[in-house]
Amino acid sequence: MDDSTNSSATPAATSDGVGVGDEPLEPDAVVDFESAGVGDEETLARLRAVSFYLDEAFEIPGTNYRVGLDPILGLVPGIGDATASALSAYILVEAAMLGVPRATLARMLGNVVLDATVGSLPLVGDVFDAAWKANARNVRLLETRYDDASPAAAAADRRFLLAAVAAIALLLVALGAATVLVALWVLGQVGLL
């Protein structure tokens, strides 16, 4: 054992983050993915694989239609839909790290939210998951918008976002109107109107 090293104590750091007699402290959690050998093509291949397993891993016997783990996981109450949604969100995060335009990311997020919302309904949601295939849609969007800064692609994304915002606004207005009508009906049944 060498007595010249002091492994039980670390040098005290001064207020400027520099240890006494040491180099400036630098974060050790910084990872440069490009120099680590993780390229965009590898990321795209990984996302295609995740999408395949979630949406198209199994062929329904006697048909040419394929389903994945997403609708199957949805059959497990509680954790199934949450797990599938987390994997869908992983595709979205990787797309953001690849530099996909924000409008496309918003469109992809809309697909994930719709899939998670409708997919959480018992049985009906599982059929929707099998038909909607949000992950396959998102990977196709990622592939078409990756390195595509054309005005036509941006305009298509803006049109989609505008339609989505309009649909959500109409849904909220309809929900508000339905709530008022139900409240009036209940008050009428109770005899307060």
Side-chain angles (χ1 to χ4, degrees):
M1 184 163 138
D2 185 13
D3 291 334
S4 65
T5 61
N6 187 359
S7 62
S8 64
T10 56
T14 60
S15 63
D16 62 354
V18 179
V20 177
D22 287 342
E23 299 283 327
L25 298 176
E26 294 188 29
D28 58 345
V30 176
V31 178
D32 182 10
F33 290 104
E34 292 299 325
S35 66
V38 179
D40 293 349
E41 288 303 318
E42 290 178 35
T43 302
L44 286 171
R46 187 173 54 250
L47 295 179
R48 285 183 198 109
V50 170
S51 169
F52 173 80
Y53 286 117
L54 285 173
D55 289 339
E56 299 173 341
F58 310 105
E59 183 175 339
I60 297 175
T63 69
N64 288 332
Y65 197 76
R66 302 185 70 84
V67 296
L69 293 173
D70 191 358
I72 295 169
L73 285 171
L75 295 172
V76 179
I79 61 169
D81 287 318
T83 303
S85 296
L87 290 169
S88 296
Y90 166 73
I91 293 173
L92 188 64
V93 169
E94 286 283 357
M97 291 177 64
L98 286 172
V100 173
R102 282 182 278 182
T104 302
L105 288 174
R107 189 171 178 177
M108 292 171 73
L109 178 63
N111 287 337
V112 171
V113 168
L114 181 65
D115 184 50
T117 304
V118 178
S120 65
L121 299 173
L123 297 177
V124 173
D126 300 319
V127 172
F128 177 79
D129 283 341
W132 180 248
K133 300 184 183 206
N135 303 297
R137 288 174 186 265
N138 283 346
V139 169
R140 280 194 305 271
L141 272 172
L142 169 62
E143 290 172 340
T144 58
R145 298 300 193 268
Y146 183 67
D147 286 339
D148 182 12
S150 70
D157 287 339
R158 280 194 297 276
R159 283 192 305 271
F160 172 82
L161 290 175
L162 182 62
V165 167
I168 290 170
L170 287 173
L171 180 66
L172 290 175
V173 168
L175 185 61
T179 303
V180 168
L181 291 175
V182 168
L184 290 174
W185 179 81
V186 168
L187 290 174
Q189 294 297 319
V190 175
L192 295 175
L193 282 181

